[in-house]
Every structure is written in structure tokens, then in C-alpha cells.
Amino acid sequence: MSYKRWIFVAIFLFGVGVAFGLSTPTGIARLISEDIAALKELAGLLASLPLALVVVIIFTKNALALLLSFVFSPIFCLLPILTLTINGWLLAFVSVIVSQEKSIGFVLAGLLPHGIFELPALILGEAAALSFGTVVILALFKKERRNLLLPSLKQNLRYLVVALALLLPAAIIETYVTPLLLT
């Protein structure tokens, strides 16, 4: 399957997560209120650090998530599938709650500046993970597919590098620009 199709698969999985997030009752937020409180505490901790360090932490966290998803993708592509759907669900669910408490403009100001880079990075990176994981799985069961492993790895590593490169401006914008828009 061409990489372009894997992009569409990744977008579809992310969209499934968004649909679930939009349809999740907001009353569920009470069940995860401890998690939300922990995230607020983490945000407060990050706010006390030098901004350059915050950029490094955000970039490292996001890059590590993509890399782990790619490395473990041969295990039935579970990690890329979960990453896409859970991120879509979380983005939509939190956006609904925040838009009810603040406004849709507040949500957009908080997401769009860095999301322009971060969401394509997520889609590109996870599409590469899905593509590579599928080739590895097929190669395990069909000997004639084993010759596709190295070319697939090389091609998908290129896409992964592009995704990782997109995460850097996303982390910089998330650290320096987004807080200015939310105050």
C-alpha cells in the first residue's frame, strides 16, 4: 500500500478518536478529575522552568512517543492505532470541556498555533509506523515479502524524520506563542 494511503488510514483513526471524544459525555470529566488535577499541577511545574528547557521537554516527550510507536509497530500495529485514536479522543474531549468553560476561541487559540505542526507530525509519524509495522507483520508470514523490509524501513524512516522535524517548531510555538494567546 502506498504511503499516501497510510496517511488516510492515520487520519481516519485520528478522526475515529475525535468522534468518540465529541460524543463522550462531559460528566465523564468528573471520573478523571484527579488526572486533570495532576495535569494542571504538571503545567504549573513546567511554568516554573526556563522556557528553553520546556521546549526540550515537550519536544522530547513527543519525539519519544513517535519513536516508541514506530519501534513497537510490528506488534500488530497496536501502538500506532492506540496513539492515533486516544490522541484524537483526548483532543476532542478536552476541547469540548474547555469550550464550555471558556470559549471555542480559547480552544482554537490554544491548539492552532502549534497544532499546525504537531498534528501533521503525528499523522505522518504514525502513518510511517503503520506502514512499517504492516510490512514487518506480512514478512513474518510470507517469505516473499521479506525483501520489502529494508526498503520499507528506509522509506518510513524518512517520513519519521520529517515528522520529528515538525515537532521542533511545534514545541517552540507551544512554549513561546500559545501562552501569550491564552492570557
Side-chain angles (χ1 to χ4, degrees), residues 1-16 84 120 122-124 126-128 130-131:
M1 187 166 16
S2 75
Y3 183 71
K4 186 186 277 188
R5 289 187 182 165
W6 287 113
I7 296 269
F8 289 122
V9 170
I11 291 170
F12 172 77
L13 290 169
F14 186 79
V16 167
L84 287 162
L122 176 70
I123 298 298
L124 290 172
E126 296 302 338
L130 289 167
S131 174

Side-chain angles (χ1 to χ4, degrees), residues 23-182:
S23 63
T24 301
T26 53
I28 298 292
R30 280 183 244 120
L31 296 176
I32 59 171
S33 61
E34 288 179 22
D35 296 326
I36 293 170
L39 285 175
K40 287 180 181 178
E41 188 176 319
L42 178 62
L45 175 67
L46 285 176
S48 68
L49 297 174
L51 292 179
L53 182 58
V54 173
V55 169
V56 170
I57 290 169
I58 291 172
F59 173 78
T60 303
K61 180 201 79 68
N62 289 336
L64 189 58
L66 272 184
L67 289 170
L68 287 173
S69 188
F70 187 86
V71 168
F72 290 108
S73 65
I75 304 173
F76 304 111
C77 294
L78 288 176
L79 202 51
I81 291 168
L82 288 172
T83 298
L84 287 162
T85 53
I86 290 172
N87 274 284
W89 175 82
L90 192 60
L91 178 74
F93 182 68
V94 171
S95 293
V96 167
I97 292 170
V98 172
S99 68
Q100 290 172 349
E101 291 177 4
K102 300 277 186 176
S103 70
I104 191 71
F106 187 84
V107 171
L108 293 175
L111 292 177
L112 286 180
H114 72 279
I116 290 170
F117 294 98
E118 195 169 332
L119 288 178
L122 176 70
I123 298 298
L124 290 172
E126 296 302 338
L130 289 167
S131 174
F132 178 66
T134 301
V135 168
V136 171
I137 292 167
L138 290 174
L140 287 172
F141 296 106
K142 295 183 179 180
K143 281 186 179 184
E144 63 272 6
R145 298 281 184 140
R146 291 186 184 154
N147 62 336
L148 299 175
L149 279 173
L150 189 57
S152 174
L153 176 63
K154 287 179 181 179
Q155 176 191 18
N156 288 305
L157 280 176
R158 284 189 210 112
Y159 295 125
L160 186 62
V161 167
V162 171
L164 291 170
L166 287 170
L167 290 176
L168 185 58
I172 292 168
I173 293 168
E174 187 172 357
T175 302
Y176 289 99
V177 177
T178 300
L180 297 174
L181 298 173
L182 297 179

